[in-house]
Amino acid sequence: MQSNINIHLISIQNLFSEYGIRNISMDDIAKNLHISKKTIYKHYSCKNELVKDIYLNEYYHFKTSLHTLDKENNDAISKTIQLYNFTILKILSVKEHVHFDLVKCYPDFYNKLIELYKEAIRKKYIEILLEGKADNYFNNNINTYSVAHVFKLLIESYVLDQMSKSEEEYLLSCDDVFDYHFRSICNPVGLQIWEDLKSRELVSKQS
């Protein structure tokens, strides 16, 4: 990915987000960016390459943003909440027609991309779990890999619940999700931190 085309990737992604990937041609991109198609084809032989580069670039940005958890939060409980929020916001930010186009037109790439996201989240949460155990917030006997898997399932359940909200009378709240999760893995010290965060409404403000 060359720097002189890299500055346009976000603008191109915005076009995809507004109109759909399938509905935007290379001609449309060149016209909207006020550049020639020749400039684009210097770096990408086809639209498929451009699409893959855009969404891989978005993935790397997400992966880099996970490092801010260590700067913004002092304890593993807060980092867990923020990781959850990062992930939920990322999933819900993808417009339905973009998701459909990726699944329909780029199925192999889409599946690989999803696995990259899952692996980045899993690795980050394992780091948080190990940190929480070392700081005596989480039970020492928890299996970090199993807990990280359950964490992923909680995210998926919450997203599905939100997406079907027009059909459901009751929606899971973040408090519901974290109550279940933290009561499963925290010792009394960790639970007290969670209860304190919840009482100060920090969870709702972050969600």
Side-chain angles (χ1 to χ4, degrees):
M1 182 165 51
Q2 304 297 319
S3 59
N4 57 344
I5 195 67
N6 182 41
I7 60 175
H8 295 300
L9 291 184
I10 293 178
S11 296
I12 299 171
Q13 186 177 348
N14 288 338
L15 287 174
F16 290 157
S17 182
E18 184 172 357
Y19 300 106
I21 298 173
R22 291 188 297 175
N23 294 329
I24 295 294
S25 66
M26 295 294 256
D27 285 318
D28 295 325
I29 292 171
K31 181 178 179 181
N32 276 273
L33 298 182
H34 304 291
I35 59 177
S36 67
K37 278 204 303 182
K38 184 177 179 181
T39 299
I40 301 175
Y41 282 118
K42 283 182 180 179
H43 308 289
Y44 300 101
S45 63
C46 61
K47 180 182 170 182
N48 286 0
E49 286 186 3
L50 177 58
V51 169
K52 292 177 181 179
D53 210 3
I54 285 174
Y55 290 100
L56 278 175
N57 183 65
E58 186 180 35
Y59 157 72
Y60 288 122
H61 179 74
F62 173 82
K63 187 176 179 181
T64 300
S65 71
L66 294 181
H67 296 303
T68 63
L69 295 175
D70 300 320
K71 300 176 182 178
E72 296 178 356
N73 303 285
N74 295 322
D75 61 82
I77 309 297
S78 297
K79 289 178 183 179
T80 298
I81 296 169
Q82 195 60 44
L83 175 60
Y84 185 91
N85 288 333
F86 267 0
T87 306
I88 292 296
L89 289 174
K90 185 62 191 173
I91 294 172
L92 297 180
S93 70
V94 180
K95 292 190 176 181
E96 186 176 348
H97 56 264
V98 172
H99 179 266
F100 178 84
D101 285 350
L102 286 171
V103 173
K104 182 73 173 178
C105 303
Y106 309 91
D108 291 339
F109 171 70
Y110 174 79
N111 290 331
K112 290 178 181 178
L113 188 64
I114 292 300
E115 289 304 314
L116 286 173
Y117 274 105
K118 288 181 178 179
E119 183 63 10
I121 294 165
R122 187 186 72 87
K123 285 185 176 180
K124 187 59 187 179
Y125 195 45
I126 287 174
E127 288 179 17
I128 294 172
L129 288 168
L130 292 174
E131 177 186 328
K133 289 171 70 172
D135 291 338
N136 196 35
Y137 298 147
F138 300 148
N139 295 317
N140 285 324
N141 62 348
I142 63 172
N143 184 312
T144 54
Y145 298 98
S146 296
V147 172
H149 179 68
V150 171
F151 182 78
K152 178 182 74 70
L153 294 178
L154 282 172
I155 291 174
E156 292 173 355
S157 296
Y158 182 77
V159 171
L160 288 174
D161 191 64
Q162 294 297 306
M163 292 176 70
S164 63
K165 59 185 177 183
S166 60
E167 303 173 3
E168 299 290 339
E169 294 182 359
Y170 176 74
L171 286 176
L172 287 171
S173 69
C174 283
D175 283 0
D176 294 327
V177 173
F178 288 126
D179 266 331
Y180 172 83
H181 187 62
F182 289 135
R183 290 184 186 283
S184 301
I185 67 172
C186 286
N187 59 25
V189 176
L191 279 176
Q192 185 57 54
I193 294 175
W194 159 237
E195 292 295 338
D196 181 54
L197 288 172
K198 187 166 58 170
S199 67
R200 288 188 282 145
E201 299 184 343
L202 294 184
V203 180
S204 298
K205 290 178 181 178
Q206 292 182 53
S207 302

